[in-house]
């Protein structure tokens, strides 16, 4: 059973398009996150959601809009894709906002051409 | 400012050698957590260890050991008798508890290559 899953695993698209990445966790966790890993492997937090509510937005452009329909899902929608958005996006979850162990999904490699 | 510094970008060792990966962190909080994650070539992030700021005991898990020293703000990771399967990028990370949030701040990673 996959604890944190992401779809798709790979996404290739053209500049200017709008795309979504889905994340689901079956751990019963309250808190979910999105991280971005760039081409140099640098990992950075983008968003944190707790009980479907946004708690952290780390200066991410408003072209990125996370949506949490329920506690088990945190989807990432990206408008007007740019070349610099090419990266691996990781979803993660933790038991609650103060739990320090985060479980990561397998990542989605986004390539913008 | 970078909260977590991993000065070693890449390290290569021959199988069975010991290797230490350095991690230096920066925080003004008295309560914080430190982590190590492994990212093998397949790309997933694998949790290795969590240590809170009040527990400076070193930890050993099989061939892995961690040395936490608050005096030098370091949380180093040693692999003894390295194996080819240890080849991966290793990330050190810091978490500073804040109201309603707990985000991981990652270092830039150290790529370890174990040569057979």
């Amino acid at each position: 059973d996959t604890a944190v899953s992401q779809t798709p695993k790979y996404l290739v698209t053209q500049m200017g398009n709008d795309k979504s990445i889905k994340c689901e966790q079956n751990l019963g966790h309250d808190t979910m996150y999105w991280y971005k890993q760039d081409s140099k492997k640098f990992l950075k937090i983008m968003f944190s959601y707790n009980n479907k509510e946004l708690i952290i937005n780390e200066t991410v452009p408003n072209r990125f809009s996370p949506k949490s329909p329920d506690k088990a899902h945190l989807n990432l929608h990206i408008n007007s894709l740019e070349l610099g958005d090419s990266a691996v996006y990781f979803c993660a979850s933790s038991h609650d906002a103060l739990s320090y162990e985060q479980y990561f999904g397998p990542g989605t490699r986004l390539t913008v051409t | 400012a970078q909260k977590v510094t991993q000065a070693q970008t890449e390290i290569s060792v021959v199988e069975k050698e010991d290797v230490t990966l350095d991690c230096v962190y920066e925080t003004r909080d008295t309560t914080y957590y430190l982590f190590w994650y492994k990212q093998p070539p397949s790309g997933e992030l694998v949790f290795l260890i969590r240590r809170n700021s009040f527990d400076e005991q070193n930890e050993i898990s099989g061939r892995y050991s961690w040395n936490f020293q608050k005096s030098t703000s370091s949380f180093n990771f040693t692999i003894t008798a390295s194996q080819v399967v240890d080849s991966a990028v290793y990330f050190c990370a810091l978490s500073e508890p804040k109201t309603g949030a707990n985000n991981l701040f990652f270092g830039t990673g150290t790529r370890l290559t174990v040569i057979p």
Side-chain angles (χ1 to χ4, degrees), chain A residues 41-96:
Chain A
K41 293 282 191 178
F42 184 56
L43 266 162
K44 187 173 180 182
I45 183 73
M46 299 174 69
F47 301 99
S48 299
Y49 263 72
N50 189 56
N51 273 319
K52 302 190 299 175
E53 290 191 9
L54 178 69
I55 50 176
I56 288 287
N57 175 345
E58 288 286 332
T59 61
V60 176
N62 57 16
R63 296 183 297 104
F64 291 78
S65 53
K67 287 185 172 50
S68 183
D70 54 58
K71 283 195 326 181
H73 296 84
L74 180 61
N75 303 323
L76 183 64
H77 189 76
I78 315 170
N79 290 327
S80 302
L81 278 156
E82 301 177 356
L83 292 177
D85 298 332
S86 295
V88 179
Y89 292 84
F90 286 96
C91 177
S93 74
S94 62
H95 185 266
D96 53 49

Side-chain angles (χ1 to χ4, degrees), chain B residues 8-21 82-83 86-88 110-116:
Chain B
Q8 304 150 307
T9 307
E10 295 190 30
I11 301 176
S12 292
V13 297
V14 177
E15 201 170 19
K16 297 185 183 177
E17 286 184 347
D18 299 346
V19 58
T20 295
L21 310 182
S82 59
Q83 299 176 2
D86 296 327
S87 296
T110 297
R111 181 181 297 277
L112 173 66
T113 302
V114 180
I115 303 165

